[in-house]
Coordinates of all heavy atoms in Angstrom, one line a residue:
W1 N 87.4 102.8 93.8 CA 87.8 101.5 94.3 C 86.8 100.9 95.3 O 86.5 99.7 95.3 CB 89.2 101.5 94.8 CG 90.2 101.2 93.8 CD1 91.1 102.0 93.2 CD2 90.4 99.9 93.2 NE1 91.9 101.4 92.3 CE2 91.5 100.1 92.2 CE3 89.9 98.7 93.3 CZ2 92.0 99.1 91.4 CZ3 90.3 97.6 92.5 CH2 91.4 97.8 91.6
D2 N 86.3 101.8 96.2 CA 85.3 101.3 97.1 C 84.0 100.8 96.4 O 83.5 99.8 96.8 CB 84.9 102.4 98.1 CG 86.0 102.7 99.1 OD1 86.8 101.8 99.3 OD2 86.0 103.8 99.7
E3 N 83.6 101.5 95.3 CA 82.5 101.1 94.6 C 82.8 99.7 93.8 O 81.9 98.9 93.7 CB 82.1 102.1 93.5 CG 81.5 103.4 94.2 CD 81.3 104.5 93.1 OE1 82.1 104.5 92.1 OE2 80.5 105.4 93.4
T4 N 84.0 99.6 93.4 CA 84.4 98.4 92.7 C 84.4 97.2 93.6 O 84.0 96.1 93.3 CB 85.8 98.5 92.0 OG1 85.8 99.6 91.1 CG2 86.3 97.3 91.4
V5 N 84.9 97.4 94.9 CA 84.9 96.3 95.9 C 83.4 95.9 96.1 O 83.1 94.7 96.1 CB 85.5 96.8 97.2 CG1 85.3 95.8 98.3 CG2 87.0 96.9 96.9
Q6 N 82.5 96.8 96.3 CA 81.1 96.5 96.6 C 80.5 95.8 95.4 O 79.8 94.8 95.5 CB 80.3 97.7 96.9 CG 80.7 98.4 98.2 CD 80.1 99.8 98.4 OE1 79.2 100.1 97.7 NE2 80.6 100.5 99.3
A7 N 80.9 96.2 94.2 CA 80.3 95.6 92.9 C 80.9 94.2 92.8 O 80.1 93.3 92.4 CB 80.7 96.5 91.7
Y8 N 82.1 94.0 93.1 CA 82.7 92.7 93.0 C 82.0 91.7 94.0 O 81.7 90.6 93.6 CB 84.2 92.7 93.3 CG 84.8 91.4 93.5 CD1 85.2 90.6 92.4 CD2 85.1 90.9 94.8 CE1 85.7 89.3 92.6 CE2 85.6 89.6 94.9 CZ 85.9 88.8 93.8 OH 86.5 87.6 94.0
E9 N 81.9 92.2 95.2 CA 81.3 91.3 96.2 C 79.9 90.9 95.8 O 79.4 89.8 96.1 CB 81.3 92.1 97.5 CG 81.1 91.2 98.8 CD 81.4 91.9 100.0 OE1 81.2 93.2 100.1 OE2 81.9 91.3 101.0
R10 N 79.1 91.8 95.2 CA 77.8 91.5 94.8 C 77.7 90.7 93.5 O 76.6 90.0 93.3 CB 77.1 92.9 94.5 CG 75.6 92.8 94.1 CD 75.1 94.2 93.9 NE 73.7 94.2 93.3 CZ 73.0 95.3 93.0 NH1 73.5 96.5 93.2 NH2 71.8 95.1 92.4
S11 N 78.7 90.7 92.7 CA 78.6 90.0 91.4 C 79.6 88.9 91.2 O 79.4 87.7 91.6 CB 78.7 91.0 90.3 OG 80.0 91.7 90.4
F12 N 80.8 89.2 90.7 CA 81.7 88.2 90.3 C 82.4 87.5 91.5 O 82.9 86.4 91.4 CB 82.8 88.7 89.3 CG 82.2 89.1 88.0 CD1 82.0 90.5 87.7 CD2 81.8 88.2 87.1 CE1 81.4 90.9 86.5 CE2 81.3 88.6 85.9 CZ 81.1 89.9 85.6
G13 N 82.3 88.1 92.7 CA 82.8 87.4 93.9 C 82.0 86.2 94.1 O 82.5 85.2 94.6
T14 N 80.7 86.2 93.8 CA 79.8 85.0 94.0 C 80.2 83.9 93.0 O 80.0 82.7 93.3 CB 78.3 85.3 94.0 OG1 78.0 85.8 92.6 CG2 78.0 86.5 94.9
L15 N 80.7 84.3 91.8 CA 81.1 83.3 90.9 C 82.4 82.7 91.4 O 82.5 81.4 91.3 CB 81.4 84.0 89.5 CG 82.1 83.2 88.4 CD1 81.3 82.0 88.1 CD2 82.4 84.1 87.2
C16 N 83.4 83.4 91.8 CA 84.6 82.9 92.3 C 84.4 82.0 93.5 O 85.3 81.1 93.8 CB 85.6 84.0 92.6 SG 86.1 85.0 91.2
A17 N 83.4 82.2 94.3 CA 83.1 81.4 95.5 C 82.7 79.9 95.1 O 82.7 79.1 95.9 CB 81.9 82.0 96.3
G18 N 82.4 79.7 93.8 CA 82.0 78.3 93.4 C 83.1 77.3 93.6 O 82.7 76.1 93.6
T19 N 84.3 77.6 93.7 CA 85.4 76.6 93.9 C 85.9 76.5 95.4 O 86.8 75.7 95.7 CB 86.6 77.0 93.0 OG1 87.0 78.3 93.3 CG2 86.2 76.9 91.5
V20 N 85.3 77.3 96.2 CA 85.9 77.4 97.6 C 85.8 76.1 98.4 O 86.7 75.7 99.0 CB 85.2 78.6 98.4 CG1 85.5 78.5 99.9 CG2 85.7 79.9 97.8
D21 N 84.6 75.4 98.3 CA 84.4 74.2 99.0 C 85.4 73.1 98.6 O 86.0 72.4 99.4 CB 83.0 73.7 98.8 CG 82.0 74.5 99.6 OD1 82.4 75.2 100.6 OD2 80.8 74.3 99.3
R22 N 85.7 73.1 97.3 CA 86.7 72.1 96.8 C 88.1 72.4 97.3 O 88.8 71.5 97.7 CB 86.6 72.0 95.3 CG 87.7 71.0 94.7 CD 87.4 69.6 95.1 NE 88.5 68.7 94.6 CZ 88.5 68.1 93.5 NH1 87.4 68.2 92.7 NH2 89.5 67.3 93.1
L23 N 88.4 73.7 97.2 CA 89.8 74.1 97.7 C 90.0 73.7 99.1 O 91.0 73.1 99.5 CB 90.0 75.6 97.5 CG 90.3 76.0 96.0 CD1 90.1 77.5 95.9 CD2 91.7 75.7 95.7
L24 N 89.1 74.1 100.0 CA 89.2 73.9 101.4 C 89.1 72.4 101.7 O 89.8 71.9 102.7 CB 88.2 74.7 102.2 CG 88.4 76.2 102.1 CD1 87.3 76.9 102.9 CD2 89.8 76.6 102.6
G25 N 88.3 71.7 101.0 CA 88.2 70.2 101.2 C 89.5 69.5 100.9 O 89.8 68.4 101.5
D26 N 90.3 70.0 100.0 CA 91.5 69.3 99.6 C 92.8 69.8 100.3 O 93.8 69.1 100.2 CB 91.8 69.5 98.1 CG 90.9 68.7 97.2 OD1 90.2 67.8 97.7 OD2 90.8 68.9 96.0
L27 N 92.7 70.9 101.0 CA 93.8 71.5 101.7 C 93.9 71.0 103.1 O 92.8 70.9 103.8 CB 93.8 73.0 101.6 CG 94.0 73.6 100.2 CD1 93.8 75.1 100.2 CD2 95.4 73.2 99.6
P28 N 95.1 70.8 103.6 CA 95.2 70.2 105.0 C 94.9 71.2 106.1 O 94.8 72.4 105.8 CB 96.7 69.8 105.1 CG 97.4 70.7 104.1 CD 96.4 70.9 103.0
A29 N 94.7 70.7 107.3 CA 94.4 71.6 108.4 C 95.7 72.3 108.8 O 96.8 72.0 108.3 CB 94.0 70.8 109.6
G30 N 95.6 73.3 109.7 CA 96.8 74.0 110.1 C 96.7 75.5 109.5 O 95.7 76.0 109.2
M31 N 97.9 76.1 109.4 CA 97.9 77.5 109.0 C 97.7 77.6 107.5 O 98.4 77.0 106.7 CB 99.3 78.1 109.3 CG 99.5 79.5 108.8 SD 98.3 80.7 109.6 CE 98.9 80.8 111.2
L32 N 96.7 78.4 107.1 CA 96.3 78.5 105.7 C 96.7 79.9 105.3 O 96.3 80.9 105.9 CB 94.8 78.3 105.5 CG 94.3 78.7 104.1 CD1 94.7 77.6 103.1 CD2 92.7 78.8 104.2
L33 N 97.3 80.1 104.1 CA 97.5 81.3 103.4 C 96.5 81.5 102.3 O 96.5 80.6 101.4 CB 99.0 81.4 102.9 CG 99.3 82.6 102.0 CD1 99.1 83.9 102.8 CD2 100.7 82.5 101.4
D34 N 95.8 82.6 102.3 CA 94.8 82.8 101.2 C 95.4 84.0 100.4 O 95.4 85.2 100.9 CB 93.5 83.2 101.7 CG 92.5 83.5 100.7 OD1 92.7 83.3 99.5 OD2 91.4 84.0 101.0
V35 N 96.0 83.7 99.2 CA 96.6 84.8 98.4 C 95.6 85.3 97.4 O 94.9 84.6 96.8 CB 97.9 84.3 97.7 CG1 99.0 83.9 98.6 CG2 97.6 83.1 96.8
G36 N 95.6 86.7 97.3 CA 94.6 87.3 96.5 C 93.2 87.1 97.1 O 92.3 86.7 96.5
C37 N 93.1 87.4 98.4 CA 91.9 87.0 99.2 C 90.7 87.8 98.8 O 89.6 87.4 99.2 CB 92.2 87.2 100.7 SG 92.4 88.9 101.2
G38 N 90.8 88.9 98.0 CA 89.6 89.7 97.7 C 88.9 90.2 98.9 O 89.5 90.7 99.9
T39 N 87.6 90.0 99.0 CA 86.8 90.5 100.1 C 86.8 89.5 101.3 O 86.1 89.8 102.3 CB 85.4 90.8 99.7 OG1 84.8 89.7 99.1 CG2 85.4 92.0 98.6
G40 N 87.5 88.4 101.2 CA 87.7 87.6 102.4 C 86.8 86.4 102.6 O 86.8 85.8 103.6
G41 N 86.0 86.1 101.5 CA 85.0 85.0 101.7 C 85.7 83.6 102.0 O 85.2 82.9 102.9

């Protein structure tokens, strides 16, 4: 699992990051819950 986490962060984690700016831009300020946070990006 440790190898999988590193592999995800290096590869498909960068793909999933492509929507982060839109998500955070549309969500209000205050307390945010990040469900399925993965490696925390």
Side-chain angles (χ1 to χ4, degrees):
W1 267 108
D2 286 338
E3 290 171 336
T4 300
V5 168
Q6 294 171 13
Y8 168 81
E9 198 167 33
R10 180 178 172 183
S11 59
F12 294 103
T14 67
L15 172 61
C16 295
T19 56
V20 167
D21 286 342
R22 177 62 186 268
L23 281 165
L24 293 181
D26 284 351
L27 293 175
M31 177 61 72
L32 172 75
L33 170 64
D34 180 11
V35 293
C37 67
T39 55

